[in-house]
Amino acid sequence: MKYYIIILILFFSGRCVAQDLDQSYLNTLGDEPLLALYDKHYGDSIALEKIARTYLDRARKQKDTIKMARGYDRLARTFHPEKNIAFADSVIYLTKRNPNITYPGLGYILKGIELSNFDLSKSTENFYTAYDYSLAEDNLSQLLFVWNTLIIRKSFWGKPEEALDMQREKEKLIYSEHFRKRFESTFRKGIKKDIDEHIDKVKFNSGVTFVICFINNKQIDSAEYYFQKVKDIYSTNMGKPLFSNELIVYELENEINFYSGKYSNTIESCNSILKKVSNSNLYGSAYDAYMFKGLSNINIGKESKGVEMLLKADSLHNLQHVRMLPYRQKVFKSLLEYYETRNNKEKQIYFSKKIIKVDSAFKRNYAYYENSLNNRIETPTLLAEKENIIKQLEKEVALSDPKFFISLTVLFITLSILLFILRKRIVYRRRFELLMAQKYHHEVQKNINNDYHTELSSEVIENILEKLQEFESNQGYLKQSITLGSLAKYCKTNSNYLSRVINLKIEKNFSQYLHQLRLEYAMNRILNDATIRKFTIKAIAAECGYKNAESFSKAFYKNYGIYPSYYIKKIERGKIEDLSK
């Protein structure tokens, strides 16, 4: 099961047989028919480039930036990854200074898709940026797409139970009262007529994400329940453009069969998948089909047939077209176990090296999404290397017997660490107590300097202050994309006037003012909301308007003298002690 298939399904509507397109014919088509023709010819890169460049040339003549971005956007879906990334960068460059509901958010999404094959962290950073833009512009279609992608990645590389919680929250939004109206506003007039199909596709993709999350949480009964919902939506829309690729349905059913122990059914569905992808470049789908077919054959006692299938999967991996996900490592581990029973040293070394190489990449991904998973993966070869190191150390100890000095060094280091931790705890506890005392017993007085000479009229100042109060009430400071310029626009003034009023009346510069609002929000939210205390620091940072955990932690420490992790720990401990009384 591959999250990138979901990405491609959402963006592309179907395949057709390649055919020649006369340039004079393309020139007669309007803008919307051209874009519809592009969707129709997905899979034929020559036709796609011709259509996209026709649209782009027309946009250049009209000097229409958004249409130009739309042309580059289509080119960014047409070629190999490196070229597609370059076109996605063109989309971003054209629209970054003047964003609209679609761009540059879509440019970052396209870039994130292409980078996912090479660098998961860079890919995800682009999706985070796209998320910021979609949130700022209230583009629900982009927001849900990015949300889907991040949930699936967290399900694979972070904590699957947290991914499942995120998915449940997303589902509430999709089935909320005003969803249709908000969702429809993100579409061009030319495609609003198909809004029902697009909404069904959103529900379909959300169901797929539920199935993936439940499988990764090893809740196969729940996965099967949501799969029936996915099947029902697909059956209702079968044959429509957005539902022309049914492969994901077969693949989900295949995995559920396998994890339910229905190995004969798994083998049958794998055969169906292999027939469907035999003349395509869907290597990941073929890899999974060979893998589950091989494992199923082994589980029913047909070991030689199973190994044959696993070796076919391995040969696809050697082509370097298959993105490795945790469950796909079963191929190498199963083959390693098989060759260990056959005492085939050459094959053991071959698959051990493969496992180490894959584990190395996996650790980077786990570290990016969840630091606690850093040391989660072990391999037989790595364990063997550890044993060799231990044996070597034992030999060295036997020769020189440095036990006394080693013990003394370890004792000194341990005591030093304990003293450092103790001192840090005392300092942090004092700071925490001071912080809580200030919160409940100290009202901060703002000293407004009435003697400050300014050219601004009292009316202008009052209007700006009213808008700032409205900005604070609406929690506009939680948007990561907020800048002095965008806030000035919101306050219906210019950056210079706004900056002067903030300095005059609040006695802070814009950056300090923003930090103060976000940190006060963070402190109160952590204190009063038990749910957010379960979040990672990165997630809390995002909730409070920060782009990353590091900048949030630094700002929190600079302002309050303790880190947010320590603050959460103390609050949690205090709540537990209160309950025990």
Side-chain angles (χ1 to χ4, degrees):
M1 177 180 40
K2 299 154 288 303
Y3 54 80
Y4 61 90
I5 281 184
I6 300 169
I7 290 171
L8 294 175
I9 286 173
L10 187 66
F11 271 82
F12 304 119
S13 59
R15 294 177 181 269
C16 75
V17 179
Q19 55 181 296
D20 293 331
L21 292 171
D22 185 68
Q23 187 61 54
S24 59
Y25 166 69
L26 294 178
N27 292 338
T28 64
L29 296 177
D31 292 343
E32 287 300 329
L34 262 180
L35 296 176
L37 193 63
Y38 179 96
D39 292 339
K40 186 181 176 184
H41 281 76
Y42 173 63
D44 179 359
S45 60
I46 295 173
L48 292 179
E49 182 179 11
K50 200 169 185 179
I51 297 165
R53 291 200 180 278
T54 301
Y55 188 94
L56 181 60
D57 290 342
R58 187 181 299 174
R60 283 172 175 158
K61 289 174 184 175
Q62 296 171 354
K63 296 182 179 179
D64 188 321
T65 303
I66 298 303
K67 283 187 177 179
M68 286 168 63
R70 208 172 284 145
Y72 282 120
D73 149 14
R74 266 51 180 193
L75 287 171
R77 313 179 195 187
T78 302
F79 304 99
H80 55 80
E82 290 84 355
K83 200 167 182 179
N84 287 344
I85 289 170
F87 283 123
D89 281 332
S90 297
V91 173
I92 294 166
Y93 175 78
L94 271 174
T95 58
K96 194 171 183 180
R97 290 187 179 180
N98 296 295
N100 76 341
I101 196 166
T102 304
Y103 304 109
L106 185 52
Y108 284 107
I109 287 174
L110 292 170
K111 194 172 178 182
I113 292 171
E114 297 298 344
L115 283 168
S116 58
N117 279 318
F118 311 108
D119 192 321
L120 195 67
S121 60
K122 284 184 181 178
S123 168
T124 302
E125 290 302 327
N126 276 275
F127 279 116
Y128 283 145
T129 306
Y131 183 87
D132 292 341
Y133 277 106
S134 61
L135 207 58
E137 301 295 337
D138 198 30
N139 188 324
L140 274 191
S141 58
Q142 286 187 13
L143 186 71
L144 290 169
F145 171 70
V146 174
W147 211 347
N148 252 11
T149 304
L150 296 177
I151 288 171
I152 293 169
R153 289 186 179 184
K154 188 170 184 66
S155 179
F156 279 118
W157 304 110
K159 292 183 178 178
E161 63 274 15
E162 290 180 3
L164 193 53
D165 289 340
M166 289 170 65
Q167 170 59 20
R168 289 190 175 108
E169 288 301 312
K170 178 168 67 67
E171 188 85 345
K172 288 179 187 176
L173 172 64
I174 293 170
Y175 288 92
S176 63
E177 183 181 353
H178 302 293
F179 173 77
R180 181 188 178 90
K181 187 176 180 181
R182 288 178 63 196
F183 184 72
E184 189 175 5
S185 69
T186 67
F187 285 84
R188 304 190 316 277
K189 289 181 181 178
I191 53 176
K192 280 188 178 181
K193 58 183 174 61
D194 301 320
I195 190 66
D196 290 328
E197 188 180 342
H198 283 281
I199 289 176
D200 278 349
K201 192 54 183 285
V202 166
K203 291 178 179 178
F204 176 86
N205 285 337
S206 189
V208 168
T209 306
F210 256 128
V211 175
I212 293 170
C213 287
F214 279 121
I215 287 175
N216 285 333
N217 275 282
K218 296 180 173 57
Q219 298 176 32
I220 306 305
D221 289 343
S222 298
E224 195 161 8
Y225 170 79
Y226 274 94
F227 175 69
Q228 288 306 317
K229 288 189 170 185
V230 168
K231 252 181 125 174
D232 290 342
I233 297 171
Y234 176 72
S235 298
T236 304
N237 291 276
M238 195 182 301
K240 294 180 181 178
L242 290 179
F243 290 84
S244 60
N245 189 336
E246 78 278 20
L247 190 60
I248 187 69
V249 178
Y250 284 95
E251 292 183 323
L252 291 175
E253 187 170 33
N254 188 38
E255 289 204 39
I256 290 170
N257 281 337
F258 176 79
Y259 291 117
S260 300
K262 301 172 184 175
Y263 300 124
S264 297
N265 291 346
T266 304
I267 292 169
E268 287 180 18
S269 56
C270 285
N271 288 334
S272 298
I273 291 169
L274 288 169
K275 285 179 183 177
K276 290 178 183 296
V277 301
S278 60
N279 296 317
S280 71
N281 59 354
L282 296 174
Y283 299 106
S285 298
Y287 181 98
D288 284 356
Y290 283 127
M291 178 184 73
F292 285 118
K293 185 177 179 181
L295 294 173
S296 296
N297 272 294
I298 290 172
N299 285 328
I300 62 174
K302 297 181 179 179
E303 189 176 51
S304 59
K305 183 67 175 175
V307 170
E308 179 189 343
M309 294 297 105
L310 294 179
L311 288 172
K312 285 186 177 182
D314 177 55
S315 67
L316 288 175
H317 176 257
N318 291 336
L319 293 172
Q320 299 182 341
H321 290 306
V322 179
R323 179 184 307 155
M324 286 310 297
L325 294 169
Y327 72 94
R328 286 181 170 158
Q329 200 183 26
K330 290 175 182 151
V331 169
F332 310 138
K333 289 185 175 180
S334 297
L335 288 170
L336 178 62
E337 289 174 8
Y338 173 77
Y339 287 115
E340 281 175 346
T341 62
R342 298 295 187 277
N343 200 27
N344 187 327
K345 299 296 182 185
E346 184 181 347
K347 291 291 186 180
Q348 285 181 55
I349 292 169
Y350 172 78
F351 286 108
S352 293
K353 285 180 178 179
K354 277 208 159 190
I355 292 169
I356 288 177
K357 186 176 180 180
V358 170
D359 278 355
S360 178
F362 280 7
K363 284 187 176 183
R364 288 195 297 273
N365 293 342
Y366 280 126
Y368 180 77
Y369 282 97
E370 190 65 50
N371 287 331
S372 62
L373 299 178
N374 237 355
N375 301 314
R376 187 167 158 178
I377 302 173
E378 294 285 359
T379 67
T381 308
L382 290 177
L383 288 171
E385 288 175 0
K386 286 181 182 177
E387 290 171 0
N388 289 334
I389 292 169
I390 291 169
K391 288 177 182 177
Q392 185 63 33
L393 286 172
E394 287 173 349
K395 286 180 182 179
E396 291 174 5
V397 169
L399 290 171
S400 57
D401 194 25
K403 290 179 183 178
F404 173 77
F405 295 102
I406 292 173
S407 300
L408 192 64
T409 302
V410 170
L411 180 62
F412 176 78
I413 292 171
T414 304
L415 286 172
S416 299
I417 292 171
L418 287 172
L419 287 170
F420 173 77
I421 293 171
L422 182 62
R423 182 179 178 280
K424 190 167 72 170
R425 282 183 179 176
I426 293 169
V427 171
Y428 277 19
R429 187 172 67 244
R430 287 175 182 169
R431 289 175 179 174
F432 174 81
E433 290 167 356
L434 180 63
L435 175 61
M436 299 309 291
Q438 287 175 342
K439 176 171 175 55
Y440 291 108
H441 305 294
H442 182 62
E443 182 179 355
V444 178
Q445 298 294 326
K446 292 182 180 179
N447 179 25
I448 301 175
N449 184 0
N450 293 320
D451 295 327
Y452 186 90
H453 295 287
T454 177
E455 297 173 2
L456 302 181
S457 68
S458 58
E459 184 180 353
V460 170
I461 294 173
E462 285 174 9
N463 288 339
I464 292 174
L465 288 174
E466 282 180 10
K467 294 300 287 184
L468 286 177
Q469 189 173 1
E470 182 181 305
F471 169 74
E472 292 178 21
S473 300
N474 294 334
Q475 297 180 337
Y477 49 86
L478 298 181
K479 290 184 179 179
Q480 294 179 358
S481 58
I482 194 73
T483 62
L484 180 63
S486 61
L487 182 55
K489 190 176 179 181
Y490 176 86
C491 294
K492 297 180 179 178
T493 185
N494 59 52
S495 300
N496 182 33
Y497 281 11
L498 176 61
S499 180
R500 288 165 68 182
V501 170
I502 292 174
N503 276 277
L504 169 66
K505 297 296 183 181
I506 304 175
E507 293 190 323
K508 286 179 170 58
N509 62 34
F510 171 75
S511 179
Q512 292 168 338
Y513 169 63
L514 209 56
H515 278 308
Q516 176 191 317
L517 293 173
R518 288 171 173 173
L519 293 173
E520 285 178 357
Y521 173 86
M523 191 176 71
N524 289 322
R525 182 87 186 273
I526 291 168
L527 180 65
N528 299 307
D529 187 347
T531 302
I532 202 171
R533 293 198 292 271
K534 302 288 189 275
F535 288 9
T536 62
I537 298 300
K538 185 173 184 178
I540 295 173
E543 285 277 310
C544 299
Y546 288 91
K547 291 188 176 179
N548 55 65
E550 185 179 1
S551 59
F552 170 60
S553 294
K554 282 182 178 178
F556 198 100
Y557 183 85
K558 185 177 180 180
N559 207 60
Y560 300 125
I562 59 176
Y563 288 103
S565 55
Y566 181 84
Y567 180 64
I568 293 167
K569 182 180 175 183
K570 292 295 289 184
I571 294 293
E572 282 291 277
R573 186 174 294 174
K575 299 290 181 186
I576 292 169
E577 289 171 357
D578 287 344
L579 287 170
S580 65
K581 289 180 181 178

